[in-house]
Amino acid sequence: MAVDITLLFKASVKTVKTRNKALGVAAGDSAKDELLKRSAARCKSDFTSRAREVISHIGKLKDFLLQHRKDYINAYSHIMSEYVRMTDTERDQIDQDAQVFMRTCADAIHLLRTEAHKGVQSAQVKEHRSAVLDFIEDYLKRVCKLYSEQRAIRVKRVIDKKRLSRLEPEQSNVSTSPLSPEKSSLNPFDDSEEKLSAEETKDRNLPDAQSNVGLWGDGKGEDELSPEEIQMFEQENQRLVGEMNNLFDEVRQIEGKVVEISRLQEIFTEKVLQQETDIDNIHQLVVGATENIKEGNEDIREAIKNNAGFRVWILFFLVMCSFSLLFLD
Amino acid sequence: MAAGIREKQTVALKRMLNFNVPPVKNSTGEPVWKVLIYDRFGQDIISPLLSVKELRDMGITLHLLLHSDRDAIPDVPAVYFVMPTEENIDRMCQDLRNQLYESYYLNFISAISRSKLEDIANAAIGANAVTQVAKVFDQYLNFITLEDDMFVLCNQNKELVSYRAINRPDITDTEMETIMDTIVDSLFCFFVTLGAIPIIRCSRGTAAEMVAVKLDKKLRENLRDARNSLFTGDTLGAGQFSFQRPLLVLVDRNIDLATPLHHTWTYQALVHDVLDFHLNRVNLEESTGTESSPAGARPKKKNKKSYDLTTSDKFWQKHKGSPFPEVAESVQQELESYRAQEDEVKRLKSIMGIEGEDEGAISMLSDNTAKLTSAVSSLPELLEKKRLIDLHTNVATAVLEHIKSRKLDVYFEYEEKIMSKSTLDKSLLDMISDPDAGTPEDKMRLFLIYYISSAQVPSEIDLEQYKKALMDAGCNLAPLSYIKQWNLFSRVMNTGSQFVMEGVKNLVLKQQNLPVTRILDNLMEMKSNPETDDYRYFDPKMLRGSDSSVPRNKNPFQEAIVFVVGGGNYIEYQNLIDYVKGKQGKHVLYGCSELFNATQFIKQLSQLGQK
């Protein structure tokens, strides 16, 4: 366990001060030095103050998201309370605002990154600043994750809601028919409690509803339109409603899938970007290697030439020597 | 003490890095950044416990050595983790004067003295930086934890507390005192971090006894000082699920000189023996290609690779104590399972291609997406697994090469036979004069083990024969002279007898207990044994400092810490682990003043023998 000796330290500071006073030693720098020191620190801390601003912005965004999170999600529970209903437009507004905010924060970080390396000499400060910027980006990513989680939940709930709401037209149709009130009112409730994924049950309900309505339509009969025509129109209505609902449903599902795919896409882009830097490195190395090889070839050619020339000279020298030996007495 | 010492030290470090406030789990917390400054001691302590990534997670942007050139990074808090030595203090005062950072959090690895604290205060006043020194702490972390249950005292100044330093014939009293003080200081820090006060037992008349006396005194003084005691409050609360206190067994290296020289067969011990292995990092040299280079070309450069073998490496954790052939098999198995998983992922790709056109059922589509998501998220795991498999394949191959070239398996078998007193089918002389089995050092080790563990001194003629054979093989005879002297002193310690042998399988480690394990067993189970009966008994909590050797507590201990003064190695550690595996609910920690392998030990012995 660590022992906090800060108090001990402060006590020793006091001791030293009194000792210094007793010995008459000058007590520290003058106020002027302090001012100089402070001003120097102030202009260097520009980077830090801006970094802290960005962090406070991101903090505000996070608070905003967390604050409205409950309303955002809660309104989808089947028990709707009076006060905390959020309309869809409000939710869209929140989404939009959050996105704009995130984009501005990302831009600010980018700007800081480009500026951070100007006017700085030491490598350690550079490293420190880039690490600080990494931290801030990480923070932003975490807050964005909050937002995208919320959004994913929302989309999922809408899909489920649409699946449930598919039964509402059948429910309203069947409940008005006096022919089989209890049985038909029981049917949708049962269905809503069971799993809704099977299409067959819905399809079964539709013909039921249609047949009920058809009977009902037959029973009433209007003056202007013949009963058969009314029935046909009703059937066509039902069919169109069903088709529209199908399409709408599929669109919602596709939206959900797209959200998932976009997440996967993010992961892939990250990996591809990482590979990009690697490939750039490899490219540089390969270019360097080709240069080296070219130079190497040149050197080898020179060497061969020199070798050949050297040999010629040696031969010549030897021949001259032998001739001189032969012909000089 | 259910949590290992490693966890406790990591928690203490993380708390220190968080400005000495217990870290709060907050996934969307604002980033706080700081700079970490350490000296070499601090580096050795931190590096086995926290990786660079973990440091980053704690908000550390830069980590620098104290004595390097550091630039001013204003408005950043700096956390210092250093030993309170003169030069470190001077450098810190210099930093204060140069106004390098915004605020300073000073953490000393072991307790700082009052006068040095005043030096810092002086410098702080001189630099008008008193307000900048935010906190000063004594961390009491002066030991290096390598595994969950193994720790070493220090790595930097190993020579000061080495076996050689303690057993030198020309050592002065003051030097001995300083060495003992260093050891006791580290042990004290260890117990402060552990949060428990042990019952100490040690043998008589050895360096271990000196350490025990001093440690007992230090613990006693600390307990008396009720105001500042380090063992009160929350530290005790955490560690008191067991109402028992742990047992500290202090042994001296001299009880068993044969074990550090032994050739071994378990994975971790082999890596330590054969390769360059320090602080959980192994350095391999790989030669890049074995074809003969054309004349005149530059020699091929060897690649140096270093790997970290940590607790997050599951394969290492599982197999570090297993015999080497098992390890090789397991690597193969892991490789196969990895390939199967890879094929699974590839197959998924083809499935996706076929079923992508089918738009009908919703559920099937969502299932595919889910499969894809799970495949993508399992990719990092697969990559990590592959990396580990590569790592261990390389390490195992390197070890295997050494084994093959030096015929270490033969040595191992032979030594086992010597140490367990079964009949030897090849005479020692043959082994030594065999030209292609092992380096001269291996032969020296073999001979020393034989010499140490033989019941009677071999006759002069035999000795001469052996000596001649050893010289022919090229060994240095200095260690032998030292062992002879040592033998004259301590023939009483009959290490050869009393080995228990279970099972006779070739090349599989037999379940025999090394002397250290035996001693621990006796003391923990309160067995009566002539060897351990006259061990001294210290209890720092008792009011009267008694010298009795009668233990007051008659129950067997549940937790024990074995500390070897003079050096230890992985073979003993492995033996202790195996012993504990057989007993339910017992925990044993192993510590030593330094960790050496046989090569280093032989060097120390030869230095001692030359004097």
Side-chain angles (χ1 to χ4, degrees):
Chain A
M1 294 296 128
V3 175
D4 188 351
I5 49 179
T6 318
L7 295 173
L8 203 57
F9 177 70
K10 300 229 191 287
S12 13
V13 166
K14 279 203 195 97
T15 337
V16 172
K17 269 194 184 149
T18 44
R19 202 193 310 149
N20 284 347
K21 235 182 262 176
L23 295 175
V25 175
D29 296 318
S30 59
K32 181 176 64 139
D33 283 338
E34 247 192 73
L35 272 176
L36 274 176
K37 182 193 6 148
R38 290 264 173 77
S39 57
R42 215 175 289 134
C43 62
K44 277 187 202 151
S45 68
D46 183 38
F47 172 78
T48 324
S49 51
R50 284 161 69 191
R52 290 214 186 271
E53 264 179 52
V54 176
I55 290 185
S56 61
H57 280 314
I58 302 179
K60 278 193 217 137
L61 170 66
K62 180 184 78 159
D63 293 334
F64 175 71
L65 280 176
L66 283 175
Q67 203 180 24
H68 294 281
R69 185 168 222 200
K70 262 196 115 194
D71 300 339
Y72 198 88
I73 297 182
N74 236 357
Y76 280 112
S77 67
H78 294 285
I79 313 160
M80 307 262 206
S81 74
E82 305 298 320
Y83 335 95
V84 282
R85 283 202 62 172
M86 240 196 200
T87 62
D88 267 343
T89 43
E90 280 180 19
R91 282 195 196 89
D92 288 333
Q93 184 70 20
I94 291 182
D95 285 346
Q96 203 127 352
D97 287 342
Q99 275 175 3
V100 163
F101 211 89
M102 279 188 254
R103 220 166 285 143
T104 37
C105 287
D107 288 338
I109 294 177
H110 197 65
L111 193 62
L112 263 183
R113 208 180 264 279
T114 46
E115 285 199 15
H117 293 284
K118 292 186 209 159
V120 172
Q121 277 83 13
S122 90
Q124 287 178 3
V125 182
K126 276 195 198 138
E127 206 184 313
H128 166 74
R129 287 192 181 176
S130 43
V132 167
L133 286 168
D134 285 337
F135 283 149
I136 302 181
E137 252 185 46
D138 195 48
Y139 185 41
L140 183 62
K141 261 194 213 137
R142 275 180 280 146
V143 173
C144 293
K145 226 172 70 159
L146 266 183
Y147 162 72
S148 58
E149 270 171 20
Q150 265 178 243
R151 192 121 203 286
I153 294 177
R154 175 189 175 192
V155 170
K156 241 187 178 177
R157 300 277 181 140
V158 171
I159 295 176
D160 289 342
K161 193 183 176 195
K162 279 303 159 192
R163 277 199 200 137
L164 275 179
S165 70
R166 273 255 226 108
L167 290 180
E168 282 186 22
E170 303 149 25
Q171 192 176 358
S172 55
N173 284 339
V174 171
S175 58
T176 53
S177 113
L179 296 170
S180 49
E182 296 101 38
K183 169 168 161 270
S184 46
S185 58
L186 272 179
N187 252 339
F189 273 89
D190 285 340
D191 280 336
S192 67
E193 280 166 41
E194 288 170 0
K195 284 213 188 272
L196 311 168
S197 49
E199 293 208 41
E200 295 84 38
T201 52
K202 292 170 205 147
D203 285 340
R204 244 190 298 120
N205 279 335
L206 276 176
D208 274 347
Q210 282 171 14
S211 53
N212 282 339
V213 168
L215 287 175
W216 176 247
D218 270 349
K220 230 180 168 193
E222 284 200 333
D223 297 327
E224 289 149 17
L225 297 165
S226 63
E228 291 86 6
E229 279 180 10
I230 292 176
Q231 185 188 349
M232 251 174 40
F233 283 142
E234 296 257 9
Q235 274 182 7
E236 231 181 292
N237 268 352
Q238 295 303 322
R239 202 171 42 81
L240 284 172
V241 165
E243 273 184 34
M244 287 301 152
N245 276 337
N246 268 342
L247 284 174
F248 194 55
D249 194 37
E250 279 175 19
V251 164
R252 283 288 175 181
Q253 280 150 25
I254 290 176
E255 190 179 341
K257 297 307 152 216
V258 165
V259 163
E260 280 189 49
I261 292 179
S262 73
R263 242 186 317 124
L264 291 174
Q265 176 88 347
E266 244 184 79
I267 301 177
F268 283 136
T269 26
E270 250 188 72
K271 299 279 174 242
V272 166
L273 283 175
Q274 281 173 17
Q275 288 179 4
E276 185 191 352
T277 45
D278 287 337
I279 293 179
D280 276 338
N281 279 343
I282 295 177
H283 176 69
Q284 301 278 359
L285 285 175
V286 164
V287 165
T290 40
E291 299 279 320
N292 288 344
I293 292 180
K294 269 192 220 133
E295 284 176 26
N297 280 341
E298 297 290 334
D299 287 339
I300 291 178
R301 247 176 248 134
E302 287 248 0
I304 294 178
K305 254 191 279 173
N306 286 345
N307 214 8
F310 187 57
R311 254 191 238 132
V312 167
W313 281 111
I314 291 282
L315 280 174
F316 179 67
F317 177 67
L318 285 176
V319 165
M320 290 312 296
C321 282
S322 51
F323 276 139
S324 62
L325 275 177
L326 278 175
F327 295 124
L328 285 177
D329 245 339
Chain B
M1 210 169 108
I5 184 65
R6 188 193 146 88
E7 239 180 86
K8 293 212 170 154
Q9 205 177 17
T10 318
V11 162
L13 274 180
K14 284 200 175 158
R15 211 187 43 224
M16 170 193 84
L17 291 176
N18 203 33
F19 303 135
N20 283 305
V21 167
V24 171
K25 268 279 180 199
N26 188 359
S27 61
T28 52
E30 286 192 3
V32 178
W33 49 77
K34 44 191 104 93
V35 171
L36 174 65
I37 316 237
Y38 45 71
D39 62 347
R40 291 207 182 274
F41 284 95
Q43 190 179 26
D44 286 337
I45 295 177
I46 298 182
S47 60
L49 294 176
L50 297 171
S51 62
V52 176
K53 184 174 166 308
E54 282 172 4
L55 286 179
R56 273 286 159 107
D57 287 339
M58 307 257 359
I60 306 237
T61 57
L62 285 182
H63 42 92
L64 306 163
L65 267 184
L66 180 67
H67 289 289
S68 60
D69 286 324
R70 279 174 288 123
D71 306 314
I73 310 181
D75 44 69
V76 164
V79 177
Y80 282 75
F81 185 57
V82 294
M83 284 286 273
T85 62
E86 276 300 322
E87 359 171 279
N88 289 353
I89 305 267
D90 285 338
R91 186 63 202 260
M92 276 165 43
C93 297
Q94 204 183 353
D95 287 348
L96 282 172
R97 274 190 283 272
N98 293 344
Q99 302 284 331
L100 288 183
Y101 308 109
E102 179 206 1
S103 57
Y104 300 82
Y105 293 82
L106 308 177
N107 296 287
F108 295 105
I109 301 179
S110 67
I112 185 174
S113 66
R114 187 67 194 248
S115 59
K116 295 208 178 92
L117 203 57
E118 284 182 6
D119 285 340
I120 305 184
N122 211 348
I125 296 177
N128 248 325
V130 182
T131 44
Q132 288 183 341
V133 177
K135 286 196 187 168
V136 183
F137 266 80
D138 277 337
Q139 287 292 336
Y140 288 104
L141 286 175
N142 190 11
F143 57 97
I144 305 175
T145 312
L146 291 178
E147 309 270 346
D148 247 346
D149 41 10
M150 175 170 177
F151 67 98
V152 178
L153 282 197
C154 64
N155 199 28
Q156 281 305 310
N157 295 344
K158 271 209 285 204
E159 305 80 36
L160 289 177
V161 291
S162 65
Y163 178 75
R164 177 175 153 262
I166 299 178
N167 288 303
R168 270 188 306 157
D170 57 345
I171 190 169
T172 62
D173 274 341
T174 41
E175 283 174 4
M176 198 63 172
E177 285 293 314
T178 27
I179 296 179
M180 292 298 131
D181 279 337
T182 332
I183 299 183
V184 167
D185 183 47
S186 299
L187 277 177
F188 183 68
C189 295
F190 175 75
F191 283 109
V192 170
T193 314
L194 200 57
I197 305 184
I199 295 181
I200 309 176
R201 303 218 54 187
C202 64
S203 58
R204 289 186 190 271
T206 58
E209 193 183 6
M210 294 176 63
V211 172
V213 166
K214 280 189 181 245
L215 183 62
D216 177 58
K217 202 167 90 164
K218 194 155 184 182
L219 284 169
R220 217 180 276 274
E221 276 172 15
N222 195 273
L223 280 176
R224 295 289 163 269
D225 189 7
R227 242 182 337 127
N228 287 345
S229 167
L230 297 161
F231 290 95
T232 56
D234 47 5
T235 70
L236 269 189
Q240 287 310 60
F241 292 127
S242 60
F243 293 100
Q244 276 216 342
R245 290 159 57 192
L247 168 70
L248 171 65
V249 178
L250 281 168
V251 291
D252 193 283
R253 180 78 261 155
N254 286 322
I255 357 168
D256 177 19
L257 281 185
T259 311
L261 298 167
H262 192 28
H263 284 97
T264 167
W265 201 237
T266 54
Y267 192 28
Q268 185 178 35
L270 261 180
V271 170
H272 186 231
D273 195 11
V274 156
L275 302 172
D276 182 17
F277 183 55
H278 292 290
L279 292 180
N280 289 346
R281 171 173 290 202
V282 65
N283 290 317
L284 287 182
E285 247 190 33
E286 286 179 1
S287 49
T288 56
T290 49
E291 66 267 14
S292 58
S293 45
R298 266 176 291 154
K300 292 220 189 281
K301 293 214 188 94
K302 289 192 177 204
N303 282 346
K304 265 193 172 258
K305 281 206 184 151
S306 71
Y307 300 112
D308 279 320
L309 296 166
T310 60
T311 46
S312 57
D313 184 346
K314 292 210 176 47
F315 184 81
W316 175 246
Q317 288 306 310
K318 218 167 68 165
H319 288 107
K320 60 187 177 186
S322 17
F324 196 61
E326 253 184 58
V327 171
E329 269 177 48
S330 314
V331 172
Q332 275 301 107
Q333 277 174 5
E334 291 282 314
L335 193 58
E336 267 156 43
S337 74
Y338 164 74
R339 289 233 178 90
Q341 275 178 311
E342 211 182 341
D343 290 338
E344 178 83 30
V345 174
K346 287 197 187 135
R347 203 170 44 87
L348 195 61
K349 192 174 68 162
S350 57
I351 290 181
M352 284 300 296
I354 295 171
E355 300 213 60
E357 298 137 19
D358 184 2
E359 292 175 12
I362 309 153
S363 50
M364 207 148 49
L365 196 54
S366 69
D367 194 34
N368 271 344
T369 327
K371 264 197 236 167
L372 191 58
T373 324
S374 64
V376 166
S377 53
S378 68
L379 272 178
E381 278 171 37
L382 277 183
L383 285 174
E384 176 68 20
K385 214 172 168 183
K386 175 154 204 307
R387 188 186 70 89
L388 286 179
I389 294 179
D390 280 341
L391 193 161
H392 282 287
T393 319
N394 286 344
V395 170
T397 323
V399 172
L400 193 61
E401 272 178 33
H402 277 271
I403 293 182
K404 273 198 253 184
S405 65
R406 287 159 62 178
K407 290 221 193 131
L408 291 177
D409 46 345
V410 178
Y411 276 98
F412 171 70
E413 225 184 312
Y414 203 76
E415 280 164 15
E416 287 279 309
K417 289 210 185 106
I418 293 182
M419 282 166 72
S420 56
K421 297 258 179 288
S422 54
T423 54
L424 314 167
D425 43 36
K426 212 176 163 191
S427 96
L428 190 58
L429 214 46
D430 287 338
M431 285 290 293
I432 294 182
S433 28
D434 191 352
D436 52 35
T439 64
E441 201 183 270
D442 290 323
K443 298 188 180 147
M444 196 63 200
R445 278 160 74 173
L446 181 62
F447 180 66
L448 284 174
I449 292 181
Y450 171 72
Y451 190 75
I452 295 172
S453 32
S454 52
Q456 73 271 40
V457 184
S459 65
E460 272 307 310
I461 317 169
D462 283 342
L463 208 54
E464 283 308 312
Q465 254 189 330
Y466 287 132
K467 269 197 189 165
K468 193 169 152 320
L470 283 170
M471 298 271 272
D472 287 339
C475 321
N476 182 1
L477 285 180
L480 185 57
S481 43
Y482 174 71
I483 298 282
K484 262 201 228 163
Q485 294 170 359
W486 172 82
N487 252 349
L488 292 174
F489 279 145
S490 49
R491 248 317 164 188
V492 192
M493 309 238 184
N494 209 350
T495 60
S497 56
Q498 300 175 31
F499 273 117
V500 176
M501 198 173 93
E502 298 166 11
V504 194
K505 271 198 232 143
N506 243 356
L507 299 185
V508 170
L509 268 190
K510 305 174 185 115
Q511 274 297 82
Q512 55 183 355
N513 283 340
L514 299 175
V516 174
T517 321
R518 266 183 310 120
I519 293 175
L520 175 71
D521 185 41
N522 289 337
L523 288 173
M524 257 178 104
E525 306 287 344
M526 311 304 251
K527 289 185 201 159
S528 141
N529 184 311
E531 208 177 339
T532 58
D533 269 348
D534 69 338
Y535 268 38
R536 291 188 66 183
Y537 176 88
F538 293 99
D539 186 349
K541 267 192 174 165
M542 286 197 326
L543 287 175
R544 203 169 37 87
S546 76
D547 206 18
S548 68
S549 351
V550 177
R552 302 279 232 100
N553 189 357
K554 290 293 176 195
N555 303 331
F557 286 95
Q558 297 299 106
E559 283 143 7
I561 303 155
V562 179
F563 188 79
V564 184
V565 176
N569 68 355
Y570 280 102
I571 307 178
E572 279 178 351
Y573 170 61
Q574 202 49 51
N575 203 268
L576 280 172
I577 302 274
D578 291 337
Y579 165 75
V580 168
K581 261 194 234 170
K583 312 245 169 183
Q584 282 295 336
K586 300 225 183 218
H587 290 106
V588 177
L589 299 180
Y590 177 72
C592 45
S593 52
E594 65 157 338
L595 195 61
F596 44 50
N597 61 8
T599 328
Q600 294 157 349
F601 190 50
I602 292 256
K603 226 184 346 180
Q604 291 187 14
L605 287 180
S606 41
Q607 280 169 343
L608 282 169
Q610 272 161 5
K611 293 226 169 112

